[in-house]
Amino acid sequence: MSHTILIADDEPAIRTMLEVILSADGHEIVAVADGKTALEYLQTHTPDVMLLDINMPYMDGFEICSRVKRIKRLRNTPVVLLTALDDDHTRDHAKLVGADDIVSKPLSGKNLRGRITHLINARQP
């Protein structure tokens, strides 16, 4: 079964890599370069999972996550934050905004695919 994954990251190489890794599992990927575009997409779409880079222009991953978790239609969509900074402050902030998982860069493809699959399966009624 195909799922839609929204990827928001301002680095083209990372977007491409994530698309390659996750489309291998048959997922449909929507990739955007910043938080503003991600929110525009989310106004009319409900992806199955969101991968949001914490550090992006216009609006960071924390802010998008925090907004998403306040919208009834999107509240149960798993949000995975991507970060180059794996520290306690980042982890605490991720919990605070309601992120479901946090993945540090550089990414391990196998690890990420497993976590995404787990989040999708955990959501099934």
Side-chain angles (χ1 to χ4, degrees):
M1 188 172 170
S2 173
H3 294 91
T4 304
I5 300 177
L6 172 66
I7 296 171
D9 196 304
D10 57 328
E11 293 176 52
I14 295 205
R15 284 201 307 274
T16 303
M17 185 185 72
L18 289 168
E19 281 188 64
V20 170
I21 291 169
L22 298 169
S23 61
D25 286 338
H27 299 306
E28 186 183 316
I29 309 299
V30 176
V32 298
D34 61 65
K36 209 170 73 173
T37 314
L39 279 183
E40 283 165 10
Y41 171 81
L42 290 168
Q43 282 174 0
T44 52
H45 299 82
T46 309
D48 295 290
V49 179
M50 294 176 223
L51 279 174
L52 308 174
D53 185 25
I54 286 178
N55 213 351
M56 329 183 249
Y58 305 119
M59 190 175 297
D60 65 20
F62 289 134
E63 174 66 21
I64 299 167
C65 181
S66 156
R67 289 182 180 211
V68 159
K69 295 297 181 181
R70 291 197 295 259
I71 298 169
K72 196 171 182 190
R73 173 176 58 88
L74 298 170
R75 191 179 295 148
N76 295 324
T77 302
V79 174
V80 179
L81 294 177
L82 302 172
T83 180
L85 300 165
D86 190 14
D87 57 36
D88 289 344
H89 174 73
T90 304
R91 289 183 173 282
D92 290 347
H93 198 160
K95 276 197 194 89
L96 195 69
V97 295
D100 297 88
D101 203 349
I102 185 163
V103 175
S104 20
K105 299 175 181 180
L107 303 157
S108 142
K110 190 168 179 253
N111 177 7
L112 182 66
R113 285 169 66 188
R115 285 158 94 160
I116 296 287
T117 302
H118 172 76
L119 285 168
I120 288 173
N121 292 340
R123 251 189 88 203
Q124 303 304 329

